[in-house]
């Protein structure tokens, strides 16, 4: 009996208590962030007005793009409407070896938007290389980076620049991505996910000291900080995670600004979602493997929480995979008592975990309601989130380590993502 408790009991306990503990940590951190920075704003009238800047430094908006003919006109049009002095910012589109009509569209847009500059790569060099090219060509010290299929809120640039202007050690600021295609269940679930999971985690990590990653779709950087750390790494599949770790290990601060909204397209098929989450998982493993030795230094102690959280999430995924495998094997062969998993059906602890998960969704949606009208209507759909997304997260994390080993250290190239059924959500 003791052996049974020590093996299966320990696995079940960790599988239950780890997500329960992390949900509590995210809720507490998110609430502290809210009461410290967000509460004293009128929530009924959307995001607060950006702060007045005592000066307007020149800003370069970088748009790395590959085969973005369908979205590029809209993306550039939104960038041209930024609430920032028009003479104080430029737009640099880096066309990275596109094979569709992206090249032609960018050349046409040059006549429509005088602040637009275009750089063409002959071959697909990858997003990191496109960002490097744009940064080196930029006239501004402050860089706002946005994907070629995203729509940047007109006030976002001012919000992002505010942090870089007022914090001498701020190396990067991550914005607040919002899902704009939500015609399927997966799209609706991701609306809640970006609020209750991603947004709440970034708030909590900002409070606890270090942010795991800026958002790859919308972030601002200090060019001199990028130069110190060698810009974006070209042989990792998630350049956003890598640059976040490089900056913070060099003792630059990374902040989260929820008012810097950016409307994005998300995968709405299981295949597209799997590819996206596997890429995220592989990127996390790559970064952890590359920089784990730096975490051993006392100077990196503020990063220990992020490293421990990621390591625990990987252990949790393998724990869940082991429990599922043992249960399935136990259906066809008789396992010794220490290895028997009696059931995978939710018991009292599963119900409790589900309730805590819904509490997390409720808290985060309450905080985020100012950024998106009628967000509470998506709460109903979130009851399906643990079943669908936790399973995908577990499977992609388990697959990430062998995938990382097989992949090795080769250049990361563009692979066009699944952007779902592209219907614009009502976010006015």
């Amino acid at each position: 009996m003791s052996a049974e408790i020590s093996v299966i009991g320990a696995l079940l306990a960790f599988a239950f208590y780890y997500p329960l503990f992390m949900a509590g940590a995210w809720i507490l951190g998110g609430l502290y962030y809210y009461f410290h920075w967000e509460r004293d704003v009128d929530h009924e009238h959307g995001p607060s007005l950006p702060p007045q800047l005592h000066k307007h430094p020149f800003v370069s908006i970088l748009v790395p793009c590959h085969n973005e003919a369908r979205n590029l006109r809209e993306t550039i049009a939104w960038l041209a409407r930024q609430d920032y002095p028009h003479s104080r910012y430029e737009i640099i589109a880096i066309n990275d070896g596109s094979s569709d009509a992206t090249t032609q569209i960018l050349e046409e847009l040059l006549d429509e938007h005088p602040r637009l500059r275009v750089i063409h790569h002959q071959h697909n060099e990858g997003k990191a290389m496109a960002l490097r090219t744009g940064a080196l060509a930029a006239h501004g010290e402050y860089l706002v980076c946005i994907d070629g299929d995203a729509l940047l809120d007109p006030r976002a640039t001012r919000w992002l620049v505010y942090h870089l202007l007022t914090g001498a050690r701020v190396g990067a600021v991550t914005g607040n991505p919002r899902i704009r295609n939500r015609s399927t269940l997966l799209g609706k679930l991701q609306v809640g996910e970006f609020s209750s999971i991603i947004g709440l985690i970034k708030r909590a990590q900002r409070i606890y000291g270090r942010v795991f990653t800026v958002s790859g779709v919308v972030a601002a950087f200090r060019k001199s900080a990028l130069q110190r750390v060698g810009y974006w790494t070209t042989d990792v599949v998630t350049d956003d995670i890598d640059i976040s770790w490089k900056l913070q290990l060099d003792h630059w601060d990374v902040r989260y600004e929820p008012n810097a909204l950016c409307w994005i397209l998300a995968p709405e098929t299981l295949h597209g979602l799997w590819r996206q989450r596997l890429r995220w998982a592989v990127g996390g493993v790559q970064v952890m493997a590359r920089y784990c030795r730096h975490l051993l230094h006392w100077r990196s102690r503020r990063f220990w929480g992020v490293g421990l959280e990621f390591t625990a999430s990987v252990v949790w995924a393998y724990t869940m995979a082991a429990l599922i495998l043992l249960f399935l094997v136990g259906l066809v062969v008789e396992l010794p008592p220490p290895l028997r998993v009696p059931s995978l059906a939710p018991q009292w602890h599963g119900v409790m975990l589900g309730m805590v998960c819904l509490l997390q969704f409720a808290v985060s949606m309450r905080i985020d309601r100012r950024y998106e009208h009628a967000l509470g209507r998506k709460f109903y759909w979130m009851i399906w989130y643990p079943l669908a997304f936790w399973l995908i997260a577990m499977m992609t994390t388990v697959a990430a380590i062998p995938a990382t080993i097989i992949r090795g250290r080769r250049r990361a190239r563009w692979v066009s993502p699944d952007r779902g059924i592209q219907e614009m959500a009502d976010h006015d």
Side-chain angles (χ1 to χ4, degrees), residues 232-250:
W232 293 268
T233 304
T234 60
D235 62 353
V236 294
V237 298
T238 50
D239 53 89
D240 47 358
I241 302 177
D242 182 81
I243 195 63
S244 304
W245 282 54
K246 287 169 71 172
L247 286 171
Q248 291 175 111
L249 288 172
D250 193 44

Side-chain angles (χ1 to χ4, degrees), residues 130-423:
L131 286 169
R132 280 190 174 199
T133 300
L136 293 174
H139 293 148
E141 163 68 2
Y142 298 158
L143 312 176
V144 175
C145 303
I146 179 174
D147 282 357
D149 61 347
L151 308 179
L152 189 65
D153 184 85
R155 293 178 289 192
T157 296
R158 189 181 293 270
W159 273 110
L160 295 169
V161 168
Y162 168 75
H163 290 278
L164 296 169
L165 193 61
T166 57
R169 291 300 302 172
V170 176
V173 187
T174 179
N176 186 0
R178 315 300 299 184
I179 303 297
R180 61 184 175 120
N181 55 329
R182 51 192 72 180
S183 54
T184 69
L185 176 59
L186 287 179
K188 292 179 173 68
L189 287 175
Q190 287 175 91
V191 173
E193 178 190 34
F194 271 73
S195 297
S196 58
I197 303 296
I198 296 177
L200 198 66
I201 288 175
K202 280 186 168 57
R203 286 179 174 89
Q205 290 178 341
R206 175 76 178 89
I207 293 299
Y208 296 144
R210 288 291 182 260
V211 175
F212 181 77
T213 180
V214 299
S215 173
V217 70
V218 52
F221 298 92
R222 189 184 303 272
K223 188 174 179 179
S224 56
L226 293 173
Q227 187 174 14
R228 272 183 56 95
V229 300
Y231 295 97
W232 293 268
T233 304
T234 60
D235 62 353
V236 294
V237 298
T238 50
D239 53 89
D240 47 358
I241 302 177
D242 182 81
I243 195 63
S244 304
W245 282 54
K246 287 169 71 172
L247 286 171
Q248 291 175 111
L249 288 172
D250 193 44
H251 309 292
W252 292 95
D253 193 17
V254 172
R255 294 183 181 177
Y256 171 59
E257 178 47 68
N259 286 283
L261 303 179
C262 182
W263 300 92
I264 68 173
L265 296 169
E268 288 193 300
T269 66
L270 284 174
H271 176 67
L273 186 65
W274 170 268
R275 286 175 53 192
Q276 181 196 64
R277 301 310 163 95
L278 180 60
R279 183 175 64 84
W280 290 1
V282 170
V285 172
Q286 285 181 322
V287 168
M288 189 64 180
R290 180 166 298 188
Y291 301 114
C292 62
R293 67 183 184 277
H294 296 281
L295 300 183
L296 302 176
H297 302 156
W298 174 252
R299 293 185 63 193
S300 302
R301 60 191 179 278
R302 292 185 65 193
F303 222 96
W304 289 352
V306 170
L308 182 60
E309 177 185 335
F310 178 78
T311 303
S313 69
V314 174
V315 175
W316 178 84
Y318 274 88
T319 298
M320 289 297 299
L323 289 171
I324 294 172
L325 180 61
L326 288 173
F327 174 75
L328 295 176
V329 171
L331 295 178
V332 294
V333 300
E334 186 71 19
L335 292 175
L339 298 178
R340 290 177 189 165
V341 179
S343 173
L344 292 178
Q347 306 296 325
W348 70 267
H349 51 275
V351 175
M352 180 179 177
L353 187 58
M355 293 178 63
V356 172
C357 182
L358 290 178
L359 174 62
Q360 177 181 332
F361 295 141
V363 169
S364 60
M365 288 182 173
R366 173 62 179 82
I367 293 174
D368 256 22
R369 70 175 187 172
R370 59 186 280 204
Y371 305 113
E372 188 172 345
H373 297 308
L375 185 60
R377 298 175 185 174
K378 303 299 183 293
F379 184 79
Y380 166 79
W381 299 103
M382 298 313 295
I383 61 176
W384 303 103
Y385 183 89
L387 179 62
F389 280 71
W390 285 4
L391 184 61
I392 291 176
M394 180 270 292
M395 295 171 64
T396 53
T397 301
V398 169
I401 291 180
T404 302
I405 295 173
I406 293 172
R407 187 183 187 279
R409 301 183 66 171
R410 64 175 184 267
R411 174 72 62 84
R413 310 282 183 178
W414 289 92
V415 177
S416 296
D418 171 12
R419 297 187 177 94
I421 302 171
Q422 301 190 30
E423 292 184 3

Side-chain angles (χ1 to χ4, degrees), residues 112-143:
E112 301 176 22
H113 302 286
R115 289 182 301 282
L116 176 64
R117 299 167 57 198
V118 176
I119 300 173
H120 296 290
H121 284 178
Q122 185 175 359
H123 304 290
N124 180 352
E125 301 290 345
K127 182 180 178 180
M129 183 58 73
L131 286 169
R132 280 190 174 199
T133 300
L136 293 174
H139 293 148
E141 163 68 2
Y142 298 158
L143 312 176

Side-chain angles (χ1 to χ4, degrees), residues 24-196:
W26 294 335
I27 290 173
L28 291 176
L31 285 173
Y32 184 90
Y33 184 101
Y34 167 75
F35 284 108
H36 189 64
W37 279 305
E38 293 182 86
R39 181 180 61 170
D40 298 330
V41 182
D42 183 0
H43 293 270
E44 301 301 326
H45 297 87
S48 56
L49 294 175
Q52 294 296 320
L53 304 180
H54 63 273
K55 64 178 179 178
H56 294 89
F58 194 83
V59 176
S60 298
I61 303 178
L62 308 185
V63 189
C65 47
H66 175 76
N67 293 344
E68 294 292 355
R70 183 172 181 176
N71 307 290
L72 204 49
R73 290 185 184 276
E74 191 176 21
T75 296
I76 299 299
W78 277 60
L79 293 179
R81 298 198 298 265
Q82 289 299 293
D83 178 24
Y84 201 80
H86 287 182
S87 62
R88 302 302 296 161
Y89 79 93
E90 64 179 350
I91 306 168
I92 304 178
I94 307 95
N95 175 25
D96 194 50
S98 297
S99 57
D100 64 356
T102 296
T103 302
Q104 177 184 349
I105 290 173
L106 284 174
E107 292 300 318
E108 294 172 358
L109 289 173
L110 283 172
D111 296 328
E112 301 176 22
H113 302 286
R115 289 182 301 282
L116 176 64
R117 299 167 57 198
V118 176
I119 300 173
H120 296 290
H121 284 178
Q122 185 175 359
H123 304 290
N124 180 352
E125 301 290 345
K127 182 180 178 180
M129 183 58 73
L131 286 169
R132 280 190 174 199
T133 300
L136 293 174
H139 293 148
E141 163 68 2
Y142 298 158
L143 312 176
V144 175
C145 303
I146 179 174
D147 282 357
D149 61 347
L151 308 179
L152 189 65
D153 184 85
R155 293 178 289 192
T157 296
R158 189 181 293 270
W159 273 110
L160 295 169
V161 168
Y162 168 75
H163 290 278
L164 296 169
L165 193 61
T166 57
R169 291 300 302 172
V170 176
V173 187
T174 179
N176 186 0
R178 315 300 299 184
I179 303 297
R180 61 184 175 120
N181 55 329
R182 51 192 72 180
S183 54
T184 69
L185 176 59
L186 287 179
K188 292 179 173 68
L189 287 175
Q190 287 175 91
V191 173
E193 178 190 34
F194 271 73
S195 297
S196 58

